[in-house]
Amino acid sequence: MKQTIFLLILFLFLSGCSKHNEEAKIEIAADEAYPRWIIKDSLHTTQTSGIAFIGEKEQIKYFLLADDNGVLHRFSIESDTLFELKKIAFNENVKVYLDTFPKPDFEEISFDKKNNKVFLSIEGTSYGKINPARKEANVKWYAGIYELQFKDDDLFSDTIVSIQKLHFEPEEKFFEHVKSNIAFEGFTFDDDYFYAGLEGFQEQKIFADSTFIYIINRATKKIIKQINTKELGIFTICGLYSPENKTLLGIDRNNKKLFKINFSDQMDISSFAFKEIKTRVPNYPAIGYVASLESITMDNDNNIYMIDDPWTTYFVPAPDILNKMDKKTAEHFNNFIPIIYKFKLN
């Protein structure tokens, strides 16, 4: 009798898992023209941690890029592979504000087309320059989600004129697990909710096997749910994007996986799936490297873009591997040039 009950429970469990995975299945195809280095002539980004698609004009796709050294760029792709980069300036007020940060560590950037808003996640650090006016402030004062305003509310202008921190409630819960260089590397939204993904839990430079996703009511800015990712097998969250209401796409950097979560009307997880991402050297599809995928967005044609933020400790391959590549590729590695990937979501 006990054996029969056990087999019945096992059958129901496996049937549920099968249905669960089928509902959130991820089907993507790698673009043959990618991966590519994010460089134009001598101009390139540095430690790129965020990407947001902002629109298409005359068959040119435009994006915003956020670097963890406090720099923003407008990035465009024409004819699929021809890149342009333009650095975005900050007006004097924004410069003064960011100058109070020990380090303006930009991470996630996202664009709300419906409301013409740009959101930027900044991590707090306990190192770098210290502003005398804020000696007593800890990393939680700096870390958080910020709203940016472009000159004339035009994303195609070249200057940021305002930066304001968003406040979520309860604040102590939102910042409970934030530490130096550990904050919200994933941030996105749908019509009703913000989604903030904590990078992870780190002790002695080793990340744990889970993290948190915070679901926040957009109207009230109150946290309605905190999801532990342990049962999902998500170790880290380094990029989030919501293609439709109650749906998340995200990057688990440490597992090199793209994941998809669907939520019910009660904002419980209704289905989940993941897809391993194979990282390869541009123009050398047979050669892999130690990757650090940290950002994700989607364009108006259902293409997914991910960017590798070079992990300086391990990014450069060993000399015997570099010797198999051309001189320019080796230089790009040694200069820590970020790499962009493109996939078609089917």
Side-chain angles (χ1 to χ4, degrees):
M1 182 66 177
K2 289 182 179 179
Q3 184 178 9
T4 302
I5 294 174
F6 172 76
L7 291 174
L8 177 61
I9 293 173
L10 180 63
F11 171 76
L12 292 173
F13 173 76
L14 292 175
S15 298
C17 287
S18 176
K19 181 181 178 183
H20 181 93
N21 290 332
E22 184 179 352
E23 289 174 350
K25 185 167 59 175
I26 303 175
E27 294 290 346
I28 59 174
D31 190 294
E32 293 182 356
Y34 290 73
R36 295 180 61 83
W37 304 96
I38 304 181
I39 185 169
K40 174 64 176 179
D41 300 324
S42 60
L43 181 62
H44 62 83
T45 61
T46 302
Q47 297 291 291
T48 301
S49 296
I51 180 173
F53 175 68
I54 59 173
E56 181 173 355
K57 293 183 178 181
E58 299 178 349
Q59 297 184 321
I60 301 176
K61 295 182 184 293
Y62 291 91
F63 304 80
L64 296 176
L65 302 182
D67 292 359
D68 72 3
N69 61 349
V71 175
L72 298 178
H73 287 91
R74 185 177 297 104
F75 175 56
S76 61
I77 303 176
E78 183 179 3
S79 303
D80 198 46
T81 56
L82 182 62
F83 296 165
E84 290 289 343
L85 280 166
K86 185 173 183 62
K87 188 174 179 180
I88 296 172
F90 302 119
N91 75 356
E92 193 60 31
N93 289 336
V94 176
K95 284 181 183 178
V96 169
Y97 181 79
L98 291 175
D99 196 48
T100 67
F101 285 58
K103 178 190 176 187
D105 188 347
F106 297 173
E107 292 294 340
E108 178 81 285
I109 190 166
S110 50
F111 171 54
D112 181 357
K113 181 179 179 181
K114 186 175 180 180
N115 298 293
N116 197 40
K117 294 180 180 293
V118 175
F119 302 104
L120 177 70
S121 174
I122 302 180
E123 280 187 346
T125 62
S126 58
Y127 55 87
K129 67 180 186 300
I130 301 297
N131 185 283
R134 297 215 174 98
K135 283 183 178 179
E136 67 285 352
N138 62 25
V139 297
K140 295 179 183 180
W141 192 95
Y142 303 102
I145 308 302
Y146 293 77
E147 184 177 324
L148 304 180
Q149 182 181 358
F150 280 74
K151 183 180 179 182
D152 300 323
D153 284 327
D154 180 6
L155 269 69
F156 292 89
S157 71
D158 298 325
T159 306
I160 302 293
V161 297
S162 172
I163 180 170
Q164 292 185 325
K165 188 173 184 177
L166 301 183
H167 295 280
F168 304 121
E169 299 179 0
E171 191 168 86
E172 61 272 16
K173 183 175 182 178
F174 189 67
F175 288 105
E176 180 180 5
H177 301 291
V178 167
K179 296 182 179 180
S180 178
N181 208 37
I182 298 290
F184 303 100
E185 293 206 3
F187 184 80
T188 190
F189 48 82
D190 60 22
D191 291 342
D192 302 307
Y193 301 100
F194 290 123
Y195 304 89
L198 184 74
E199 178 185 5
F201 300 101
Q202 188 182 40
E203 294 294 338
Q204 297 180 346
K205 298 185 178 181
I206 298 176
F207 278 90
D209 61 356
S210 61
T211 185
F212 284 117
I213 298 173
Y214 297 83
I215 303 177
I216 303 158
N217 184 294
R218 286 193 69 162
T220 65
K221 293 187 172 61
K222 291 183 178 180
I223 298 171
I224 67 161
K225 188 154 292 195
Q226 178 179 322
I227 296 174
N228 189 307
T229 65
K230 187 178 181 66
E231 291 187 0
L232 302 176
I234 297 173
F235 290 14
T236 55
I237 295 177
C238 296
L240 287 176
Y241 179 81
S242 179
E244 57 187 1
N245 286 342
K246 300 181 178 66
T247 301
L248 286 181
L249 293 174
I251 295 174
D252 181 348
R253 176 195 60 208
N254 289 17
N255 283 326
K256 289 205 295 189
K257 290 179 179 178
L258 170 69
F259 62 82
K260 181 179 182 181
I261 300 175
N262 292 329
F263 294 97
S264 68
D265 290 340
Q266 293 73 39
M267 299 311 292
D268 297 317
I269 295 176
S270 60
S271 57
F272 169 76
F274 61 82
K275 185 83 172 180
E276 185 176 355
I277 303 299
K278 293 184 178 180
T279 51
R280 295 290 182 261
V281 177
N283 298 319
Y284 295 89
I287 303 178
Y289 66 99
V290 178
S292 185
L293 296 170
E294 290 205 356
S295 52
I296 182 171
T297 194
M298 183 183 293
D299 68 14
N300 54 331
D301 293 316
N302 268 12
N303 296 306
I304 295 174
Y305 301 83
M306 302 181 196
I307 293 181
D308 186 325
D309 175 358
W311 190 2
T312 55
T313 306
Y314 302 104
F315 183 67
V316 181
D320 59 322
I321 302 297
L322 281 180
N323 289 338
K324 297 178 181 179
M325 308 174 200
D326 61 272
K327 182 179 178 181
K328 182 174 287 187
T329 296
E331 288 178 352
H332 287 346
F333 269 114
N334 287 315
N335 291 326
F336 302 105
I337 308 299
I339 297 173
I340 186 169
Y341 290 79
K342 180 182 178 183
F343 301 89
K344 184 71 173 181
L345 180 65
N346 298 319

